Amino acid sequence: IVFADFFIMNLILWVKGSSAAIPFGTLVAILAMWFGISVPLTFVGAYFGFKEKPIEHPVRTNQIPRQIAEQSFFTKPLPGIIMGGILPFGCIFIQLFFILNSI
């Protein structure tokens, strides 16, 4: 789909006589390289990937559940929203305020 969009855009540029249009031979060469290099390498990688044994986890998990500690105040959503959004916005707003006032 991406190549089709690129081809259509290039066709419109070619019809309009734009210097930004890529020659048709170059488009065919790019498509040939994609089908001749990228697609076969994808299938070769999938073949060798499926031949390998599955990845095992490096640790064993314990079947006994553990208690989860109580969250501190800064790991709750509201303080995270304030620290992640309002503080940076406030800093930039104050800096822009002083910069634009000095103009």
Side-chain angles (χ1 to χ4, degrees), residues 14-58:
W14 182 60
V15 168
K16 294 289 185 181
S18 174
S19 62
I22 298 173
F24 183 74
T26 305
L27 280 176
V28 171
I30 291 172
L31 187 64
M33 285 192 301
W34 183 43
F35 280 116
I37 297 171
S38 181
V39 173
L41 283 177
T42 300
F43 285 111
V44 169
Y47 172 75
F48 284 116
F50 279 116
K51 280 181 58 174
E52 290 289 321
K53 62 180 182 178
I55 298 173
E56 296 179 15
H57 296 294

